[in-house]
Amino acid sequence: MRLYLVQHGEALPERIDPERPLSDKGRADVQRIAAVLRRAAVRVHTIEHSGKKRAAQTAELLATALGVQQIGIRSGIGPKDAVAPFVSDVTCRPDDLMVVGHLPFLGKAAAALVNGDESKPVVSFQQGGVVCLCREADGVWTIAWMLLPALFVD
C-alpha cells in the first residue's frame, strides 16, 4: 500500500481572506507537482482532504491532473488532531490513498507510521510537497520518495 501525504499549497494570509484559499504561487506549485505525479503514472482511487479551503483546492488540482473521481473530506486530520486514529485506519487499508492536510499533523502521522513515535520527525514537509510512504508486506512503513515544488521550478 502506498500512502501519499500532501501538504496543501501556499495559502493567502488570513488577513487577506479568512478562508485562506491557495495563493497564485500555491496553485502553481501544486499544478507543477501534479504534472510530475501524472508523468510518473501515480494512481490512486481516492483523495481525501481536511475540508479547509486550501486543502480542498489542493486536492481538486491533484484529482484533475491524476484523473481521480473520488475526492472527499476526512475528519480527524486537522493541524492539531491526534494521529493515532488515522494511523490505525491507514495501517489496515489495502488500497493506495492520497491525503491532503496540514502541519503539524502530517509530520506527526509520517513519524508515527515510519518509526512508531510521532514526536520523532522523519521528514520535513513543504507546502505543495508530497511524501510517499510504502507499507511493506511485513507491515513496516518506509519513505519511498518525496517531491518538493522547489525541485520543479519553471
Side-chain angles (χ1 to χ4, degrees):
M1 185 241 180
R2 290 190 181 266
L3 174 62
Y4 302 93
L5 298 176
V6 182
Q7 184 181 358
H8 64 79
E10 178 186 274
L12 292 174
E14 191 171 3
R15 64 180 163 66
I16 293 175
D17 188 330
E19 288 191 18
R20 303 218 42 228
L22 292 177
S23 66
D24 290 342
K25 179 186 182 312
R27 183 173 295 282
D29 285 348
V30 172
Q31 288 172 326
R32 272 197 310 277
I33 288 294
V36 172
L37 294 172
R38 183 180 59 247
R39 286 192 303 273
V42 167
R43 300 279 180 257
V44 294
H45 183 262
T46 305
I47 299 177
E48 298 176 341
H49 61 83
S50 69
K52 292 184 183 289
K53 189 163 191 171
R54 57 197 177 273
Q57 289 176 322
T58 299
E60 289 165 11
L61 289 169
L62 291 164
T64 298
L66 300 176
V68 176
Q69 300 296 315
Q70 198 164 329
I71 306 171
I73 296 173
R74 180 184 188 111
S75 62
I77 62 168
K80 297 179 182 176
D81 287 339
V83 301
F86 174 79
V87 167
S88 178
D89 177 62
V90 298
T91 299
C92 301
R93 210 179 161 109
D95 55 325
D96 293 350
L97 175 65
M98 184 173 282
V99 175
V100 181
H102 315 266
L103 293 180
F105 180 86
L106 291 174
K108 290 180 177 183
L113 288 164
V114 172
N115 68 27
D117 186 343
E118 70 180 61
S119 69
K120 294 181 180 176
V122 294
V123 66
S124 182
F125 280 85
Q126 183 182 86
Q127 289 180 335
V130 180
V131 174
C132 176
L133 301 181
C134 183
R135 187 181 67 225
E136 305 299 333
D138 60 3
V140 173
W141 288 88
T142 59
I143 299 171
W145 48 262
M146 180 176 187
L147 293 176
L148 303 174
L151 297 172
F152 304 98
V153 179
D154 291 335

